[in-house]
Amino acid sequence: MTVGFVAFHYPRPEYAEEFIGRVRNACAFVGSRPGGMAAECWVTADGEAVVTTGRFASEEALKAAFAAARDAGVITECDEREHRPREFFTLLPG
């Protein structure tokens, strides 16, 4: 079953540009993994949040892509450049 995700990141203003670049790299990495169908980086109109979205062929593919990204150091569980904890949601077809 296809699954998706949406994550909200809240970088400190002084790190926003660097943070967006890192998130774009992370999206490219996870989106290119087996079962990856899409991964994108967005920024809210007010610039307060960086939002990532993605779609995978299965929940296993999503988990494997994120595990590979953590193992490669492409993503981390937390980042001191964020001023509040990120929020991550797994999405199922409606």
Side-chain angles (χ1 to χ4, degrees):
M1 169 182 27
T2 302
V3 298
F5 75 87
V6 61
F8 296 84
H9 308 264
Y10 303 95
R12 296 180 190 282
E14 62 270 25
Y15 298 112
E17 189 173 322
E18 174 193 355
F19 193 87
I20 291 166
R22 291 182 60 231
V23 169
R24 285 185 177 141
N25 290 338
C27 284
F29 184 92
V30 298
S32 70
R33 305 303 296 173
M37 300 167 74
E40 297 180 310
C41 174
W42 300 81
V43 179
T44 58
D46 62 9
E48 293 293 317
V50 176
V51 182
T52 54
T53 62
R55 196 171 70 199
F56 289 80
S58 67
E59 185 173 0
E60 294 77 19
L62 174 111
K63 288 179 180 179
F66 275 83
R70 279 190 297 279
D71 291 348
V74 175
I75 62 172
T76 60
E77 291 298 320
C78 64
D79 190 321
E80 69 282 349
R81 290 169 281 210
E82 294 177 86
H83 66 85
R84 68 183 254 200
R86 66 185 68 150
E87 300 170 276
F88 186 92
F89 303 92
T90 301
L91 308 172
L92 303 174

